Every structure is written in C-alpha cells, then in structure tokens.
Amino acid sequence: MNKKLKNICVALSAATMLCPTLAACDGDSAGGVKVTFWANCNDVELSVFAEITREFNKQHKGEITVKLVSKPGDQYGDTLGLTLQGSKAPDVFYVGDNGYKAYAEQGLLYDITEFVDNSTVYNVEEMWDDVTVRYKYDVNTRLTNTPEGRYYGVPKDIGPTVIYYNETFFEGSGITVLSVGKDGLEAFNNGGKDDRGNTKADLGLGNHTVKQQGFFSVGGKLYFNNQIPMSWEETNACATHVQNYMRNTLGDKNGYGYFTEWWFNYGWTVGGDCIQQIPTDNPDYRGYYYDFTLLDNTTNYIVADDCESVKVNEVEYKAGQTIEYKDKIDMSAYASDPTGNASKKDTYKVTDEVEKLADEGKLNRLPSQRAAFTEFVRLGTKSDVVVDKVDGVELKGYDITPKPNAIGGDSGKTTAFMNGHLAMLVDLRYITSTFRNEMDGEYVWDVAPLPMYKEYDANGDISVHGVQAGHSGSVSLCISSKSKVAEAAWKFIEYCASADGQRLQAEAGFAIPLQKDLANSEVFLDGKSPRNAKVFIEAAQYERAGDWWYLQDKKWIDTWANVLNGSVRNGDLTMTQFYNGSEYTDTFSTLLEYSKDKRYS
C-alpha cells in the first residue's frame, strides 16, 4: 500500500477508535458536576486529551465529569468567539496566544488568578518563565506580567521553534554531523566524546580546535554541529550546499535547502522588533503609543562580553544584553501628538551617549532591524532579483527557500520536508509527532538551534554576536466567564498541567512539559526522534510569543503581512517599494488606534 494512503487509513482508524472513547467521556450518567471541554487539535493530540479526560473522570467519579468535545479546523477561533458571547459557552476551552488578550478585554474569560495563586498543583515557579507570563494580563493598561496583571488562562503547553533537518541529505552531501554544546567544547577538544559518543578522531577532525561555529570546514571536509546556532552566513552556505546535492545528485529540481516563514529570529537576534512603545503624556493614550519599526534603519547595540555592565539612558544593561529602542533613540524627536509618525519614520537618531559607548568598545554595533528583515526576505528571492539597495550596493536574493506562493501553508511546508523536498525547516515542536510517523524508517532527521547573528575573526572565534532568539507557540486553557462550574473546571485544568497530564503530552511528541524538571527527565528526553531534543529545552528558555500576541488581536498585522508574504517575498516588490507603500505607511495610524485609551467598550 502507498505510504501516504496507508497513513490516511491509519488516521481514519484512529479517529474511529476515538468515538467510543469520547462517548465514554461525556459522562451524562456518571453523576457529579458536568464540565464541557472544547479541544481544537489533530488526531494525535485528541487521543491524548481523551486519555487525560478519561483518567480525570475516573479519579473524580461521582464528583466531576468532563465531556470532551473535538472542535478541529481553522475556523475554531471564530466559532469559539461567537459561542462565548452566547448562552451555551463551553466551560473549558483552548485559546491561542493570538486571541487571548481580546477575549480577556471583552470579559469573556474567567479571572482564575485566585485559583492559580492558591493551587498546590499548578506551580508557576516550576514552569518556563516566558510561557506563563504571556497569560498574565492587565486589561486596564494592556500590559503583560505587571503586578496588577491577572490570569485569565494558563498554558496547556509550550512549543519552541527549532531547525528540523534531514540528516540523510546532510551525510549524502558530504557533511559530517557532530553534537556538542558550547559548554562541552573544551572537554571535546581535549579528547572527550560528543553527545553521540564520537571523539574528534572518530569524526576526522584530527587536532583541529572546534569552536562555536554551526557549519564549518576542516581540511576540505564540511561539518555541522547540531548544538551550536549557525550564523546567517553559515545558514546560507549550508542550505546552498545541501540544495545543490538535492538538485544535482538526487535530481530534485524543486528541492530547497531551507525554509522559514517567520522573521522573528532574524530581527530579534540583533535586538530589533516590529513595534515599539513610545512614552507620552498625551491624554488620548495610556501613557504610551506604538510606533511601527519593522524596517527601522538605526543601528542596534549589545553590551560587549568583556564589559560587565553599562548604563544607557540611566538603565543598567549587563554583558550580552541588547539595548532597548527607547534607550538608544533620542526620544525628544518624538512628538506628544503622534499622528505624523509615518512621515517621520526616517528621522530618528541614536543618542550621542550610545555612540560614545560604542566608540569606547563598551557596546558592539549590530545590524539594524531593516537589515535583519532584508536578510530574511533574501532567503527566498531569486539570485538575480534585487531585494534592497544599501549605500548604492544591490542586495540580491539567495534563492535557498521556496517562495510563499509555491510552498503553500503549514501543510505545504511540512509535506515538503517529509517528502524530502526541503533539507531544513524551521518549525514548532508540535509537528514532531507527525515527523515521527511519516519519516522514521525513511530518513534520519534531527533538530538544531535557530540561526543567530555572529561575526568571526580570522581565527574563527566570535568577535561580535547577537542574542539567541525565536518564538515559541502556546495555547492556553481558559474558563468561560459565564461558567457556573468554574471550580470544577479549574480542577480539570490543574490535572492537564500536572505531571501526569504533561507526561502524556510529552510522550506523544507534540509538546514539551511545562515543568522544567520534567522536561529535563526521561519523560521528554526519551531517545525517540529527534535525538537532539535538548535543543527544545534550551529554546524554551529564551523564545517568546510572536507579534500576533503583542496587541489585543492581530488585525493590525494582516494588511502589511499579506503584501510582505506575497509581492515582497515572491520578488515582485523591493523592500524600498514596500517601505513606501500604503500598506506599510498606513500601519502607523492603525497602531495608534490600538494605543488609545479605549478599544473594547
């Protein structure tokens, strides 16, 4: 039987097997308090939550019964939003971090702060900092993780972003893979083994001193260290090399070396971002308004590694920290009335204080947000197409990723990787269970950290670097503000977040445990593909929510993102044309609407 057809049949069989499970979970005759739970997930995750629900109901027999209702599909958010405003809202339900704030501001979510604070099961201190703070929200100031913030939901999971790579293709193209982290390099260079049990001699490295390089050459041989982030240049070189192998040796004329649909890693690694908070005393705003800085031209800065700390704008920064926009820019150039921001987007300057600290060597200069964003766009642009022009120099595409109009959506990119048409794919942890089912036995595959901005000196040592950066996905479990069984609903959420609930999710492969200790145990590091699973744990410590989480909803993104992911990344518009187009410039006024004192009223 064709493999894909076989997998479809297996999925249908699994779905059929779930039906009696779900019926058993509805508990209409089980007695006790009834809790309705909506889950928006695929078959793998649904089977896990069916088991979680069944076990919870068994433990609380006669007291609480949870009815699991599967709500798959891309329209889940629209359906949920309408239902929450009606009289038949579910008690517990999934809310992605892109819609969470709007639901909270509209009063549709139950304030569960007291439940969280008084729980002996749900301990925020044991969990990944970033994923818990994104759900602590102050609806009055629209700020996150402040002392006044309240919990209207808690994470059911965290899904860090990494590079999935096809090791079969790497080895076929002549790349030797090693696996040793920064902290293990000294021992490895002194004769120790990497995490796969190989020494330098085993790998043909001889007396070469391995440094913090993700992709490098020794004696004409190529090496890939799957625990060290590649620089931008290394990423391009590695992708080009494997892509040439796929096309010239394997005969895949549509094969590509790399694909990512997210700019976050490129902008954040140098300290840039797409919006910035600008302080104001204008009474129309909440003490600040938002400026659109997706293509900010100003240099970014990071505290040099040999400088313990430095004060910038009276704010103390430690070695390895990037300088915030509000501290590097002369903020006096911003008007109290921001209605003309679009026309002033090229006029802001870095302060003399920052330039002086950089000249003294206390701060290192990094590329601007615009330069980082341009690097991202160049990935999929043809090599004869000009993406941008800087100081008279034309920056053309690298042509190492498919164009958005060719790859399709989520299913397109994952299918391309599974079928061997992509050598590297940036994606979330959630897809791991799919790759295990589809690729194990056909390809060897593993994971590596996201790229990081780095410059090297003549000896191969890092001379200037950015920070490790990327986004993690997360979905929260929330309770309807109209629920009459909130305490029972919270008990179920507690169980989902408990060690038992998190263990079941981790074993299925689509998430890492919320608890740090559990994530570092065999529950997660179980030896299944991918072998380099510790990369997910490291990523969970520094990755954060994407730009769709920044404001109450993500409508402010859609207009410019559609042009970016269409005409710009498909090579039909240059960055300058995009920068001067209405879709970009109109976003300034759109952001001001989000900044005003009232939005949901």
Side-chain angles (χ1 to χ4, degrees), residues 327-509:
D327 293 325
K328 75 168 186 175
I329 293 292
D330 179 3
M331 301 304 281
S332 66
Y334 276 95
S336 176
D337 178 4
T339 53
N341 274 4
S343 62
K344 296 180 64 176
K345 59 187 178 183
D346 289 316
T347 64
Y348 303 112
K349 304 295 182 183
V350 172
T351 64
D352 292 341
E353 175 194 30
V354 168
E355 290 287 14
K356 182 174 183 293
L357 290 169
D359 290 341
E360 293 172 349
K362 296 178 181 178
L363 299 179
N364 286 331
R365 294 179 172 89
L366 296 174
S368 68
Q369 167 68 11
R370 176 162 179 160
F373 200 82
T374 300
E375 181 75 8
F376 164 72
V377 173
R378 294 176 75 183
L379 297 173
T381 308
K382 296 295 184 183
S383 56
D384 60 349
V385 174
V386 176
V387 174
D388 205 1
K389 184 181 289 187
V390 178
D391 297 329
V393 178
E394 292 184 340
L395 302 177
K396 297 183 178 180
Y398 299 125
D399 195 19
I400 56 173
T401 79
K403 293 181 179 181
N405 62 1
I407 195 67
D410 285 345
S411 61
K413 66 181 181 181
T414 54
T415 299
F417 183 71
M418 290 188 298
N419 290 342
H421 299 306
L422 282 178
M424 290 185 281
L425 171 65
V426 174
D427 214 336
L428 300 159
R429 172 69 193 189
Y430 305 133
I431 202 64
T432 293
S433 56
T434 300
F435 290 161
R436 285 177 180 173
N437 293 334
E438 298 290 336
M439 298 180 69
D440 283 359
E442 184 170 353
Y443 294 113
V444 176
W445 60 280
D446 212 333
V447 294
L450 296 176
M452 169 181 166
Y453 182 78
K454 290 188 282 186
E455 299 174 16
Y456 300 102
D457 62 20
N459 297 318
D461 293 309
I462 297 174
S463 56
V464 176
H465 64 83
V467 296
Q468 284 191 274
H471 83 283
S472 59
S474 178
V475 170
S476 63
L477 291 174
C478 300
I479 300 173
S480 168
S481 59
K482 297 179 181 178
S483 175
K484 301 183 186 309
V485 292
E487 290 190 16
W490 169 250
K491 285 184 179 293
F492 176 66
I493 291 177
E494 271 190 321
Y495 185 73
C496 293
S498 71
D500 288 341
Q502 292 296 298
R503 182 179 293 109
L504 287 169
Q505 294 185 64
E507 288 172 350

Side-chain angles (χ1 to χ4, degrees), residues 96-99 101 134 262 264 471-474 544-554 556-557:
D97 54 17
N98 63 343
K101 293 179 178 179
R134 73 180 69 173
W262 297 295
F264 309 127
H471 83 283
S472 59
S474 178
R544 50 196 171 102
D547 56 10
W548 49 77
W549 169 84
Y550 287 2
L551 306 180
Q552 298 92 317
D553 55 47
K554 64 184 186 70
W556 67 276
I557 299 173

Side-chain angles (χ1 to χ4, degrees), residues 298-352:
T298 60
T299 302
N300 286 307
Y301 300 83
I302 188 170
V303 181
D305 291 340
D306 59 0
C307 180
E308 183 176 346
S309 66
V310 64
K311 277 194 174 184
V312 180
N313 193 29
E314 298 302 315
V315 177
E316 184 174 17
Y317 289 90
K318 296 181 179 179
Q321 290 184 324
T322 54
I323 308 304
E324 295 286 338
Y325 181 86
K326 64 180 177 59
D327 293 325
K328 75 168 186 175
I329 293 292
D330 179 3
M331 301 304 281
S332 66
Y334 276 95
S336 176
D337 178 4
T339 53
N341 274 4
S343 62
K344 296 180 64 176
K345 59 187 178 183
D346 289 316
T347 64
Y348 303 112
K349 304 295 182 183
V350 172
T351 64
D352 292 341

Side-chain angles (χ1 to χ4, degrees), residues 232-286:
W232 291 351
E233 290 78 7
E234 288 167 350
T235 302
N236 298 340
C238 182
T240 299
H241 176 81
V242 185
Q243 181 171 296
N244 288 338
Y245 164 76
M246 295 166 70
R247 294 183 177 186
N248 300 330
T249 303
L250 299 181
D252 184 0
K253 299 305 180 184
N254 294 315
Y256 281 93
Y258 186 63
F259 184 75
T260 179
E261 63 178 290
W262 297 295
W263 63 265
F264 309 127
N265 166 250
Y266 285 85
W268 292 348
T269 187
V270 296
D273 214 333
C274 59
I275 61 174
Q276 299 289 344
Q277 280 188 2
I278 309 302
T280 181
D281 56 5
N282 189 317
D284 290 339
Y285 304 96
R286 297 180 178 227

